[in-house]
Amino acid sequence: MADRAPAPLTGVQIASVCLLLASLALLPFGRAAELAMLVCAIGGCVMAVRRRIDWRSASVRLALLMFAAYWLPELVSAFDAVAGKRAWSEVALDLRYLPFLLFACVALQTAVAQRTALSGCGLILAVWLIDALLQATTGLSIGGPASADRLSGIFGADDLKLGGVVALLSPFLLLPLFSRHRALGALASLAVVIVVLLAGSRAAWVSLALVLTVIVWRSFEGGSKALAALLLSALAGVALVVAGYFASDTFHERIERTSAALQGGDGVNYALSGRVPIWTTALRMFREHPINGVGVRGFRDSYRAYAEADDPWNGFDGDAGAFHAHQIVLEVASETGAFGLLCWVWATLIGLRVWREAELTARAVAAPVSLALLAMLFPLNTHYAFYSSVWGGLLFFLLALWLPMIGSQLSIPTRSMAPINTAEARRADAA
């Protein structure tokens, strides 16, 4: 007997998925994305009050774990924070992430809802790509004209996050296309590469290189064919870089800056846009406050006290210095100390174990989100601030998709918050 077709989404389910997607679609428009996330969080609170949340489900318990790993370091760091008011404000504001995750666990319970959310993410990215390519060719964009030195697309010239966000979200578009036909995937990859290169963020270049490496390897199922495809992809990438070097003065300058790293010393600092003093200052903060850091979001207020006298970032923001550490490990270490590092490492290990022990079908569904999270959290790169509304919100949006998808076929016992081996669970049930 043939399997029955999955039930279509109800009106409430469609509205819930659209509300989740709105927190991504409105990301280029500042506070509007936070408003969409707040509405979802309120919905999560209502669901909790009405007992619509299954607290024993794997996805909900994982949501509690991931939220705790992010939020508890904030709380602990706030008690003696350098900028106490800012720290406590962030602690209170970030409470919204927990009901947001709970809302997503309910909204994305079904496979149809999960596929709809993934398709919506791919569609949003496609619109942003088309807009960016139009800006590159005509100068026109929803976000206005491009900035003086790079492509800005729908995000606008005063918010240069286009490259980072496109690289991060590219698996939502590329993985489905590669699974349908490699030629379609290759064509879409070309568009993504052009936009990310012209957007000028070298951190985005690293993220996209990581994403494309995984996608190509996965598409050709490893082996010699995958290695040959990776080599061809690398050669095509070099050709695009060379073409951009001679065709664009802006891109030419970015390559010149990057190549300065080969000179060592000052050249490395120049290639990293002056981030070496920021990183050394972050390490000093960690050494002086090894337990719980200088306080979440207190990096800028503490900067001058730990920076060298001739540090170029002194007074960058009036009396303050650099806004954040520009590197995930150093951000967590300097602002939340060893306690924060332990929480983040613990959450990462839990996430890896959950992914490893999930059913193959769940891993396949969650693959675009898993790859996006890998690109976002890859430590050998520079980063936006994770304890900020934009990047922190995007992290929790990805977790809101990932947890229901990867946790749908896991079993987590009531007495333990750690995931268990699903094969062992099935044998125990049979016994």
Side-chain angles (χ1 to χ4, degrees):
M1 182 176 178
D3 293 336
R4 290 185 301 173
L9 295 178
T10 66
V12 173
Q13 289 174 323
I14 293 173
S16 298
V17 174
C18 288
L19 195 55
L20 277 173
L21 291 174
S23 60
L24 175 65
L26 296 175
L27 191 66
F29 306 104
R31 299 295 181 185
E34 295 180 37
L35 178 60
M37 182 171 285
L38 179 60
V39 174
C40 291
I42 293 172
C45 292
V46 172
M47 290 174 179
V49 171
R50 293 184 176 180
R51 299 183 179 181
R52 291 188 55 198
I53 295 174
D54 181 6
W55 298 99
R56 297 171 298 177
S57 70
S59 58
V60 169
R61 296 175 77 83
L62 287 170
L64 294 172
L65 283 170
M66 295 303 168
F67 171 77
Y70 182 91
W71 185 79
L72 284 179
E74 291 185 84
L75 177 65
V76 172
S77 76
F79 286 99
D80 61 348
V82 172
K85 184 177 180 181
R86 190 195 303 272
W88 283 111
S89 175
E90 192 70 24
V91 168
L93 183 64
D94 287 353
L95 282 171
R96 72 194 189 279
Y97 289 139
L98 179 56
F100 175 74
L101 291 180
L102 297 178
F103 177 86
C105 288
V106 175
L108 301 180
Q109 282 181 334
T110 67
V112 176
Q114 293 169 11
R115 289 196 298 269
T116 302
L118 291 174
S119 298
C121 292
L123 179 61
I124 291 168
L125 178 60
V127 172
W128 291 354
L129 279 173
I130 293 171
D131 176 76
L133 291 172
L134 284 174
Q135 188 184 57
T137 54
T138 68
L140 300 177
S141 167
I142 297 173
S147 67
D149 62 343
R150 63 180 75 179
L151 204 65
S152 56
I154 194 171
F155 286 83
D158 57 346
D159 187 15
L160 299 176
K161 291 185 175 67
L162 176 69
V165 174
V166 167
L168 188 68
L169 299 179
S170 59
F172 290 100
L173 183 64
L174 299 184
L175 275 175
L177 291 179
F178 266 101
S179 65
R180 292 176 187 173
H181 200 286
R182 289 172 186 162
L184 286 176
L187 186 61
S189 297
L190 179 61
V192 171
V193 169
I194 290 173
V195 168
V196 172
L197 287 178
L198 293 180
S201 169
R202 286 161 298 161
W205 299 354
V206 174
S207 296
L208 184 59
L210 176 63
V211 167
L212 290 177
T213 298
V214 173
I215 289 177
V216 171
W217 184 266
R218 186 176 185 269
S219 176
F220 286 88
E221 300 178 349
S224 58
K225 288 185 178 180
L227 289 174
L230 286 173
L231 178 59
L232 288 175
S233 299
L235 292 174
V238 170
L240 282 174
V241 169
V242 171
Y245 182 84
F246 290 104
S248 170
D249 292 338
T250 299
F251 190 72
H252 177 95
E253 190 276 333
R254 302 298 289 179
I255 295 298
E256 289 289 337
R257 179 182 285 272
T258 303
S259 63
L262 299 176
Q263 301 172 12
D266 293 337
V268 172
N269 187 45
Y270 176 72
L272 293 170
S273 299
R275 290 192 176 99
V276 171
I278 297 177
W279 293 346
T280 56
T281 302
L283 286 172
R284 291 191 195 99
M285 292 183 192
F286 178 54
R287 284 198 297 266
E288 293 294 324
H289 300 269
I291 304 301
N292 64 343
V294 299
V296 66
R297 303 300 288 159
F299 192 88
R300 69 182 72 183
D301 300 285
S302 307
Y303 195 86
R304 297 191 71 163
Y306 297 95
E308 298 286 353
D310 59 347
D311 191 302
W313 295 96
N314 278 330
F316 175 73
D317 183 33
D319 292 331
F323 287 170
H324 59 94
H326 291 268
Q327 209 282 329
I328 182 173
V329 177
L330 293 177
E331 178 189 355
V332 174
S334 60
E335 295 189 10
T336 65
F339 179 74
L341 284 175
L342 286 173
C343 286
W344 279 72
V345 170
W346 173 66
T348 301
L349 293 176
I350 290 292
L352 289 172
R353 184 180 176 186
V354 166
W355 178 84
R356 178 171 55 86
E357 296 186 355
E359 298 285 350
L360 290 178
T361 53
R363 286 166 59 173
V365 171
V369 200
S370 300
L371 187 49
L373 284 168
L374 174 64
M376 184 181 226
L377 300 172
F378 185 61
L380 303 180
N381 201 358
T382 59
H383 305 88
Y384 299 110
F386 281 86
Y387 282 107
S388 67
S389 295
V390 176
W391 216 239
L394 188 54
L395 170 64
F396 274 92
F397 173 80
L398 293 175
L399 287 175
L401 299 181
W402 191 75
L403 294 173
M405 294 175 185
I406 205 70
S408 59
Q409 299 176 41
L410 283 173
S411 175
I412 297 180
T414 302
R415 294 183 181 179
S416 173
M417 294 294 282
I420 65 172
N421 186 284
T422 53
E424 293 176 356
R426 286 194 295 270
R427 286 196 295 270
D429 288 340

